[in-house]
Structures are given as structure tokens and as C-alpha cells.
Coordinates of all heavy atoms in Angstrom, one line a residue:
M1 N 34.4 -18.8 -29.7 CA 33.3 -18.0 -29.7 C 32.2 -18.5 -28.8 O 31.5 -17.7 -28.1 CB 32.8 -17.9 -31.2 CG 31.7 -16.9 -31.4 SD 32.3 -15.2 -31.1 CE 31.0 -14.3 -31.6
K2 N 32.0 -19.8 -28.7 CA 31.0 -20.4 -27.8 C 31.3 -20.0 -26.4 O 30.4 -19.7 -25.6 CB 31.0 -21.9 -28.0 CG 29.9 -22.4 -28.8 CD 30.0 -23.9 -28.8 CE 28.8 -24.5 -29.6 NZ 28.9 -26.0 -29.5
R3 N 32.6 -20.1 -26.0 CA 33.0 -19.9 -24.6 C 32.7 -18.4 -24.2 O 32.3 -18.1 -23.1 CB 34.5 -20.2 -24.4 CG 34.8 -21.6 -24.4 CD 36.2 -21.8 -24.2 NE 36.5 -23.2 -24.3 CZ 37.7 -23.7 -24.1 NH1 38.7 -22.9 -23.8 NH2 37.9 -25.0 -24.2
L4 N 32.9 -17.5 -25.2 CA 32.6 -16.1 -24.9 C 31.1 -15.9 -24.7 O 30.7 -15.1 -23.8 CB 33.1 -15.2 -26.1 CG 33.1 -13.7 -25.9 CD1 34.0 -13.3 -24.7 CD2 33.5 -13.0 -27.1
V5 N 30.2 -16.5 -25.5 CA 28.8 -16.4 -25.3 C 28.4 -16.9 -23.9 O 27.6 -16.3 -23.2 CB 28.0 -17.1 -26.4 CG1 26.6 -17.2 -26.1 CG2 28.3 -16.4 -27.7
W6 N 28.9 -18.1 -23.6 CA 28.5 -18.7 -22.3 C 29.1 -17.9 -21.1 O 28.4 -17.8 -20.1 CB 29.0 -20.2 -22.2 CG 28.2 -21.1 -23.0 CD1 28.5 -21.7 -24.2 CD2 26.8 -21.4 -22.7 NE1 27.4 -22.4 -24.7 CE2 26.4 -22.3 -23.8 CE3 25.9 -21.1 -21.7 CZ2 25.1 -22.8 -23.8 CZ3 24.6 -21.6 -21.8 CH2 24.2 -22.5 -22.8
M7 N 30.2 -17.3 -21.3 CA 30.8 -16.5 -20.3 C 29.9 -15.2 -20.1 O 29.6 -14.8 -18.9 CB 32.2 -16.1 -20.6 CG 32.9 -15.3 -19.5 SD 34.6 -15.0 -19.9 CE 35.0 -13.8 -18.8
G8 N 29.5 -14.6 -21.2 CA 28.6 -13.5 -21.1 C 27.3 -13.8 -20.4 O 26.7 -13.1 -19.5
I9 N 26.7 -15.0 -20.7 CA 25.5 -15.5 -20.1 C 25.7 -15.7 -18.6 O 24.9 -15.3 -17.7 CB 24.9 -16.7 -20.7 CG1 24.5 -16.4 -22.2 CG2 23.8 -17.4 -19.9 CD1 24.1 -17.6 -23.0
G10 N 26.8 -16.3 -18.2 CA 27.2 -16.5 -16.8 C 27.3 -15.2 -16.0 O 26.8 -15.1 -14.9
V11 N 27.9 -14.2 -16.6 CA 28.1 -12.9 -16.0 C 26.8 -12.3 -15.8 O 26.5 -11.7 -14.7 CB 29.1 -12.0 -16.8 CG1 29.0 -10.6 -16.3 CG2 30.5 -12.5 -16.8
A12 N 25.9 -12.3 -16.8 CA 24.6 -11.7 -16.7 C 23.8 -12.4 -15.6 O 23.1 -11.7 -14.8 CB 23.8 -11.8 -18.0
I13 N 23.8 -13.7 -15.5 CA 23.1 -14.4 -14.4 C 23.7 -14.1 -13.1 O 23.0 -13.9 -12.1 CB 23.2 -16.0 -14.7 CG1 22.3 -16.3 -15.9 CG2 22.7 -16.7 -13.5 CD1 22.4 -17.7 -16.4
G14 N 25.0 -13.9 -13.0 CA 25.6 -13.6 -11.7 C 25.2 -12.2 -11.3 O 24.9 -12.0 -10.1
V15 N 25.1 -11.2 -12.2 CA 24.7 -9.9 -11.8 C 23.3 -9.9 -11.4 O 22.9 -9.2 -10.4 CB 24.9 -8.9 -13.0 CG1 24.2 -7.6 -12.8 CG2 26.4 -8.7 -13.3
I16 N 22.4 -10.6 -12.1 CA 21.0 -10.7 -11.7 C 20.8 -11.3 -10.3 O 20.1 -10.8 -9.5 CB 20.2 -11.4 -12.8 CG1 20.1 -10.6 -14.0 CG2 18.8 -11.7 -12.3 CD1 19.5 -11.3 -15.2
A17 N 21.6 -12.4 -10.1 CA 21.5 -13.1 -8.8 C 22.0 -12.2 -7.7 O 21.4 -12.1 -6.6 CB 22.3 -14.4 -8.8
F18 N 23.1 -11.4 -7.9 CA 23.6 -10.5 -6.9 C 22.6 -9.4 -6.6 O 22.4 -9.1 -5.4 CB 24.9 -9.9 -7.4 CG 25.5 -8.9 -6.5 CD1 26.2 -9.3 -5.3 CD2 25.4 -7.5 -6.7 CE1 26.7 -8.4 -4.4 CE2 25.9 -6.6 -5.8 CZ 26.6 -7.0 -4.7
R19 N 21.9 -8.9 -7.6 CA 20.9 -7.9 -7.3 C 19.7 -8.4 -6.5 O 19.2 -7.8 -5.6 CB 20.4 -7.3 -8.6 CG 21.4 -6.3 -9.2 CD 20.8 -5.7 -10.5 NE 21.7 -4.8 -11.0 CZ 21.5 -4.1 -12.1 NH1 20.4 -4.2 -12.8 NH2 22.4 -3.3 -12.6
K20 N 19.3 -9.6 -6.8 CA 18.2 -10.3 -6.1 C 18.6 -10.5 -4.6 O 17.8 -10.3 -3.7 CB 17.8 -11.6 -6.7 CG 17.1 -11.4 -8.1 CD 15.8 -10.8 -8.0 CE 15.1 -10.7 -9.3 NZ 13.8 -10.1 -9.2
V21 N 19.8 -11.0 -4.4 CA 20.2 -11.3 -3.0 C 20.3 -9.9 -2.2 O 19.9 -9.9 -1.1 CB 21.6 -12.0 -3.0 CG1 22.2 -12.0 -1.7 CG2 21.4 -13.4 -3.6
T22 N 20.8 -8.9 -2.9 CA 20.9 -7.6 -2.2 C 19.5 -7.1 -1.8 O 19.3 -6.5 -0.7 CB 21.7 -6.6 -3.1 OG1 22.9 -7.1 -3.5 CG2 21.8 -5.3 -2.4
Q23 N 18.6 -7.2 -2.8 CA 17.2 -6.8 -2.5 C 16.6 -7.6 -1.3 O 16.0 -7.0 -0.4 CB 16.3 -6.9 -3.7 CG 16.6 -5.9 -4.7 CD 15.7 -6.2 -6.0 OE1 15.1 -7.3 -6.1 NE2 15.6 -5.2 -6.9
A24 N 16.9 -8.9 -1.3 CA 16.3 -9.7 -0.2 C 16.9 -9.4 1.1 O 16.2 -9.3 2.1 CB 16.6 -11.2 -0.5
Q25 N 18.2 -9.1 1.1 CA 18.9 -8.7 2.4 C 18.3 -7.3 2.9 O 18.1 -7.2 4.1 CB 20.4 -8.5 2.2 CG 21.1 -9.9 2.1 CD 22.6 -9.7 1.9 OE1 23.0 -8.7 1.4 NE2 23.4 -10.7 2.2
S26 N 18.1 -6.4 2.0 CA 17.6 -5.1 2.5 C 16.1 -5.2 2.9 O 15.7 -4.5 3.8 CB 17.7 -4.1 1.3 OG 16.8 -4.3 0.3
S27 N 15.4 -6.1 2.4 CA 14.0 -6.3 2.8 C 13.9 -7.0 4.1 O 12.9 -6.9 4.8 CB 13.1 -6.9 1.7 OG 13.5 -8.3 1.6
L28 N 14.9 -7.8 4.5 CA 14.9 -8.6 5.7 C 15.4 -7.8 6.9 O 15.2 -8.2 8.0 CB 15.6 -9.9 5.5 CG 15.0 -10.9 4.6 CD1 15.9 -12.1 4.5 CD2 13.7 -11.3 5.0
G29 N 16.1 -6.7 6.6 CA 16.7 -6.0 7.7 C 15.7 -5.0 8.4 O 14.6 -5.0 8.0
P30 N 16.2 -4.3 9.4 CA 15.3 -3.4 10.1 C 14.7 -2.3 9.2 O 13.5 -2.0 9.3 CB 16.2 -2.7 11.1 CG 17.4 -3.6 11.2 CD 17.5 -4.3 10.0
E31 N 15.4 -1.8 8.2 CA 14.9 -0.8 7.3 C 13.8 -1.4 6.5 O 12.8 -0.7 6.2 CB 16.0 -0.2 6.4 CG 17.1 0.5 7.2 CD 18.2 -0.4 7.6 OE1 18.3 -1.5 7.1 OE2 19.0 0.0 8.5
G32 N 14.0 -2.6 6.0 CA 13.0 -3.2 5.2 C 11.7 -3.5 6.0 O 10.6 -3.3 5.5
L33 N 11.9 -3.9 7.2 CA 10.7 -4.1 8.1 C 10.0 -2.8 8.3 O 8.7 -2.8 8.3 CB 11.2 -4.8 9.4 CG 10.1 -5.2 10.4 CD1 9.1 -6.2 9.7 CD2 10.7 -5.7 11.6
N34 N 10.7 -1.8 8.6 CA 10.1 -0.5 8.8 C 9.3 0.0 7.6 O 8.2 0.5 7.7 CB 11.1 0.6 9.1 CG 11.6 0.4 10.6 OD1 11.0 -0.2 11.4 ND2 12.8 1.0 10.8
R35 N 9.9 -0.2 6.4 CA 9.2 0.1 5.1 C 7.9 -0.7 5.0 O 6.8 -0.1 4.6 CB 10.1 -0.1 3.9 CG 10.9 1.1 3.6 CD 11.7 0.9 2.3 NE 13.1 0.5 2.8 CZ 13.7 -0.6 2.4 NH1 13.2 -1.3 1.5 NH2 14.9 -0.8 2.9
A36 N 8.0 -2.0 5.3 CA 6.8 -2.8 5.1 C 5.7 -2.4 6.1 O 4.5 -2.4 5.7 CB 7.2 -4.3 5.3
V37 N 6.1 -2.1 7.3 CA 5.1 -1.7 8.3 C 4.5 -0.4 8.0 O 3.3 -0.1 8.1 CB 5.7 -1.7 9.7 CG1 4.8 -1.0 10.8 CG2 6.0 -3.1 10.2
G38 N 5.3 0.5 7.5 CA 4.8 1.8 7.0 C 3.8 1.7 5.9 O 2.8 2.4 5.9
R39 N 4.1 0.9 4.9 CA 3.2 0.6 3.8 C 1.9 0.1 4.3 O 0.8 0.5 3.9 CB 3.8 -0.3 2.8 CG 4.7 0.4 1.8 CD 5.1 -0.5 0.7 NE 6.6 -0.5 0.7 CZ 7.3 -1.6 0.7 NH1 6.8 -2.8 0.7 NH2 8.6 -1.5 0.7
L40 N 2.0 -0.9 5.2 CA 0.8 -1.5 5.8 C -0.1 -0.4 6.6 O -1.3 -0.4 6.4 CB 1.1 -2.6 6.7 CG 0.0 -3.4 7.4 CD1 -0.9 -4.0 6.4 CD2 0.5 -4.3 8.4
A41 N 0.6 0.4 7.4 CA -0.1 1.4 8.1 C -0.8 2.4 7.2 O -1.9 2.8 7.4 CB 0.9 2.1 9.1
D42 N -0.1 2.8 6.1 CA -0.7 3.7 5.1 C -1.9 3.1 4.5 O -2.9 3.8 4.3 CB 0.3 4.1 4.1 CG 1.4 5.0 4.6 OD1 1.3 5.6 5.7 OD2 2.5 5.1 3.9
G43 N -1.8 1.8 4.2 CA -3.0 1.1 3.6 C -4.2 1.1 4.5 O -5.3 1.3 4.1
V44 N -3.9 0.8 5.8 CA -5.0 0.7 6.8 C -5.6 2.1 6.9 O -6.8 2.3 7.0 CB -4.5 0.2 8.1 CG1 -5.5 0.4 9.2 CG2 -4.1 -1.3 7.9
Y45 N -4.8 3.2 7.0 CA -5.3 4.5 7.1 C -6.1 4.9 5.9 O -7.2 5.5 6.1 CB -4.1 5.5 7.3 CG -4.4 6.9 7.5 CD1 -4.9 7.3 8.7 CD2 -4.4 7.8 6.5 CE1 -5.3 8.7 8.9 CE2 -4.7 9.2 6.7 CZ -5.2 9.6 7.9 OH -5.6 10.9 8.1
D46 N -5.7 4.6 4.7 CA -6.4 4.9 3.5 C -7.8 4.2 3.5 O -8.8 4.8 3.1 CB -5.6 4.6 2.3 CG -4.4 5.5 2.1 OD1 -4.4 6.6 2.7 OD2 -3.5 5.1 1.3
F47 N -7.8 2.9 3.9 CA -9.0 2.2 4.0 C -10.0 2.8 5.0 O -11.2 2.9 4.7 CB -8.7 0.7 4.3 CG -10.0 -0.1 4.5 CD1 -10.7 -0.5 3.4 CD2 -10.4 -0.5 5.8 CE1 -11.8 -1.3 3.5 CE2 -11.5 -1.3 5.9 CZ -12.3 -1.6 4.8
A48 N -9.5 3.2 6.2 CA -10.3 3.8 7.2 C -10.9 5.1 6.7 O -12.1 5.4 6.9 CB -9.5 4.0 8.5
D49 N -10.1 5.9 6.0 CA -10.6 7.1 5.4 C -11.7 6.9 4.4 O -12.8 7.6 4.4 CB -9.5 7.9 4.7 CG -8.7 8.8 5.7 OD1 -9.1 8.9 6.9 OD2 -7.6 9.3 5.3
A50 N -11.6 5.9 3.6 CA -12.6 5.6 2.6 C -13.9 5.1 3.3 O -15.0 5.5 2.9 CB -12.1 4.5 1.6
V51 N -13.7 4.3 4.3 CA -14.9 3.8 5.1 C -15.6 5.0 5.7 O -16.9 5.1 5.7 CB -14.5 2.8 6.1 CG1 -15.7 2.5 7.1 CG2 -14.1 1.5 5.4
R52 N -14.9 5.9 6.4 CA -15.5 7.1 7.0 C -16.2 8.0 6.0 O -17.3 8.4 6.2 CB -14.4 7.9 7.7 CG -14.1 7.3 9.1 CD -13.2 8.3 9.8 NE -12.2 7.5 10.5 CZ -10.9 7.4 10.2 NH1 -10.4 8.2 9.3 NH2 -10.1 6.6 10.9
A53 N -15.6 8.2 4.8 CA -16.2 9.0 3.8 C -17.5 8.3 3.3 O -18.5 9.0 3.1 CB -15.3 9.2 2.6
G54 N -17.5 7.0 3.1 CA -18.7 6.3 2.7 C -19.8 6.4 3.8 O -21.0 6.5 3.4
M55 N -19.4 6.3 5.0 CA -20.4 6.4 6.1 C -21.0 7.8 6.1 O -22.2 7.9 6.3 CB -19.7 6.1 7.5 CG -19.4 4.7 7.7 SD -18.4 4.3 9.2 CE -19.2 5.3 10.4
R56 N -20.2 8.8 6.0 CA -20.7 10.2 5.9 C -21.7 10.4 4.8 O -22.8 11.0 4.9 CB -19.6 11.2 5.8 CG -19.1 11.6 7.2 CD -18.1 12.8 7.0 NE -16.8 12.3 7.5 CZ -15.7 12.0 6.8 NH1 -15.7 12.3 5.5 NH2 -14.6 11.6 7.3
E57 N -21.3 9.9 3.6 CA -22.2 10.0 2.4 C -23.5 9.3 2.6 O -24.5 9.8 2.3 CB -21.4 9.5 1.2 CG -22.2 9.6 -0.1 CD -21.4 9.0 -1.3 OE1 -20.2 9.0 -1.2 OE2 -22.1 8.7 -2.2
R58 N -23.4 8.1 3.2 CA -24.6 7.3 3.4 C -25.5 7.9 4.4 O -26.8 8.0 4.3 CB -24.3 5.9 3.8 CG -25.5 5.0 4.0 CD -26.2 4.7 2.7 NE -27.3 3.9 3.0 CZ -28.5 3.9 2.3 NH1 -28.6 4.7 1.3 NH2 -29.4 3.1 2.6
E59 N -24.9 8.5 5.5 CA -25.7 9.2 6.5 C -26.4 10.4 5.9 O -27.6 10.6 6.2 CB -24.8 9.6 7.7 CG -25.6 10.2 8.8 CD -24.8 10.5 10.0 OE1 -23.6 10.2 10.0 OE2 -25.4 11.0 11.0
T60 N -25.7 11.1 5.1 CA -26.3 12.3 4.4 C -27.5 11.8 3.5 O -28.6 12.5 3.5 CB -25.3 13.0 3.6 OG1 -24.2 13.4 4.4 CG2 -25.9 14.2 2.9
D61 N -27.3 10.8 2.8 CA -28.4 10.2 1.9 C -29.6 9.8 2.8 O -30.7 10.1 2.4 CB -27.9 9.0 1.1 CG -26.9 9.4 0.1 OD1 -26.7 10.6 -0.2 OD2 -26.2 8.5 -0.4
L62 N -29.4 9.1 3.9 CA -30.5 8.7 4.7 C -31.2 9.9 5.4 O -32.4 9.9 5.4 CB -30.0 7.8 5.8 CG -29.5 6.4 5.4 CD1 -28.8 5.6 6.5 CD2 -30.7 5.6 4.8
R63 N -30.4 10.9 5.8 CA -31.0 12.1 6.4 C -31.9 12.8 5.4 O -33.0 13.3 5.7 CB -30.0 13.0 7.0 CG -29.4 12.4 8.3 CD -28.4 13.4 9.0 NE -28.0 12.8 10.2 CZ -28.7 12.9 11.3 NH1 -29.9 13.4 11.3 NH2 -28.3 12.3 12.4
T64 N -31.4 12.9 4.2 CA -32.1 13.6 3.2 C -33.4 12.8 2.8 O -34.5 13.4 2.7 CB -31.3 13.7 1.9 OG1 -30.1 14.4 2.2 CG2 -32.0 14.4 0.8
A65 N -33.3 11.5 2.8 CA -34.5 10.7 2.4 C -35.5 10.7 3.6 O -36.7 10.7 3.3 CB -34.0 9.2 2.2
L66 N -35.1 10.8 4.8 CA -36.0 10.8 5.9 C -36.5 12.2 6.3 O -37.3 12.4 7.1 CB -35.3 10.2 7.2 CG -35.1 8.7 7.1 CD1 -34.3 8.2 8.3 CD2 -36.3 7.9 6.9
G67 N -35.8 13.2 5.7 CA -36.2 14.6 6.0 C -35.7 15.1 7.3 O -36.3 16.0 7.9
V68 N -34.7 14.5 7.8 CA -34.1 14.9 9.2 C -33.1 16.0 8.9 O -32.3 16.0 8.1 CB -33.4 13.7 9.8 CG1 -32.8 14.1 11.1 CG2 -34.4 12.5 10.0
E69 N -33.3 17.1 9.8 CA -32.4 18.2 9.7 C -31.1 17.9 10.3 O -31.0 17.2 11.3 CB -33.0 19.4 10.4 CG -34.3 19.9 9.8 CD -34.0 20.6 8.5 OE1 -32.9 21.2 8.3 OE2 -34.9 20.5 7.6
T70 N -30.0 18.4 9.7 CA -28.7 18.2 10.3 C -28.4 19.1 11.5 O -27.6 18.8 12.3 CB -27.6 18.4 9.2 OG1 -27.7 19.7 8.7 CG2 -27.6 17.4 8.1
A71 N -29.2 20.1 11.6 CA -29.1 21.0 12.7 C -29.5 20.3 14.1 O -29.0 20.7 15.1 CB -29.9 22.3 12.5
D72 N -30.3 19.3 14.0 CA -30.7 18.5 15.2 C -29.5 17.9 15.8 O -29.4 17.8 17.0 CB -31.7 17.4 14.8 CG -33.1 18.0 14.4 OD1 -33.3 19.2 14.7 OD2 -33.9 17.3 13.8
L73 N -28.5 17.5 15.0 CA -27.3 16.9 15.6 C -26.5 17.9 16.4 O -25.9 17.6 17.4 CB -26.5 16.3 14.5 CG -27.0 15.0 13.9 CD1 -26.1 14.5 12.8 CD2 -27.1 13.9 14.9
V74 N -26.5 19.1 15.9 CA -25.7 20.2 16.5 C -26.2 20.5 17.9 O -25.5 20.7 18.8 CB -25.6 21.4 15.6 CG1 -24.9 22.5 16.3 CG2 -25.0 21.1 14.3
R75 N -27.5 20.5 18.1 CA -28.1 20.8 19.4 C -27.8 19.7 20.4 O -27.8 20.0 21.6 CB -29.6 20.9 19.2 CG -30.0 22.2 18.5 CD -31.5 22.3 18.4 NE -31.8 23.1 17.2 CZ -32.9 22.8 16.5 NH1 -33.7 21.9 16.8 NH2 -33.1 23.5 15.4
R76 N -27.7 18.5 20.0 CA -27.5 17.4 21.0 C -26.1 17.4 21.5 O -25.2 17.6 21.8 CB -27.7 16.0 20.3 CG -29.1 15.8 19.9 CD -29.3 14.5 19.3 NE -30.6 14.4 18.8 CZ -31.1 13.3 18.2 NH1 -30.3 12.3 18.0 NH2 -32.3 13.3 17.7

């Protein structure tokens, strides 16, 4: 009975190790690199959008506080 338990534990560890190695191989290949760069680019794009939205909101707040018309920008 002990041997059967240890064999089951060994098989489970082997399956887990095989899955981890397969994941590592896929992340190191060209597809994995493309996915990582894509995620990074998406993150940078989202951050830039958030910064632009914040800038627009702050500019609107400042223009309202100063009483500057937004139509003045259109004429320039």
C-alpha cells in the first residue's frame, strides 16, 4: 500500500513538472515573446490614454477656474 501511495505522489509530481516545463518552453519561444511584447504595448497604450484623459480634465478645470473660453483655442 505504501508503494502505491508513493507511486501516485511521484506521478502527480511528474505531471506538474511536465506542465511547468511546457509553459516555460512556450513562454521562451517566439510566440511567448510576441505575447509578452503585446501585453507590454497594451499596458503602455492604456497608461498613455489615462494620462491624456487626466490632462484634458485638468485643462478643463483650469480653464473653468480662469474663465477662459474654449472657443479661443478654436480660433488659433
Side-chain angles (χ1 to χ4, degrees):
M1 188 67 174
K2 262 186 175 178
R3 288 183 183 179
L4 188 60
V5 170
W6 284 109
M7 186 173 163
I9 292 172
V11 167
I13 290 172
V15 168
I16 291 169
F18 178 76
R19 287 185 178 177
K20 292 290 182 180
V21 168
T22 303
Q23 286 176 346
Q25 284 178 339
S26 69
S27 68
L28 294 177
E31 296 87 16
L33 183 60
N34 285 342
R35 271 185 262 129
V37 169
R39 279 189 237 126
L40 178 65
D42 290 344
V44 169
Y45 182 76
D46 292 342
F47 176 74
D49 276 349
V51 168
R52 281 189 217 109
M55 286 171 47
R56 272 188 242 110
E57 182 180 337
R58 182 64 179 149
E59 184 175 0
T60 302
D61 292 345
L62 290 172
R63 288 187 173 281
T64 302
L66 294 173
V68 177
E69 295 290 326
T70 57
D72 291 342
L73 287 178
V74 176
R75 289 185 210 144
R76 292 181 189 179

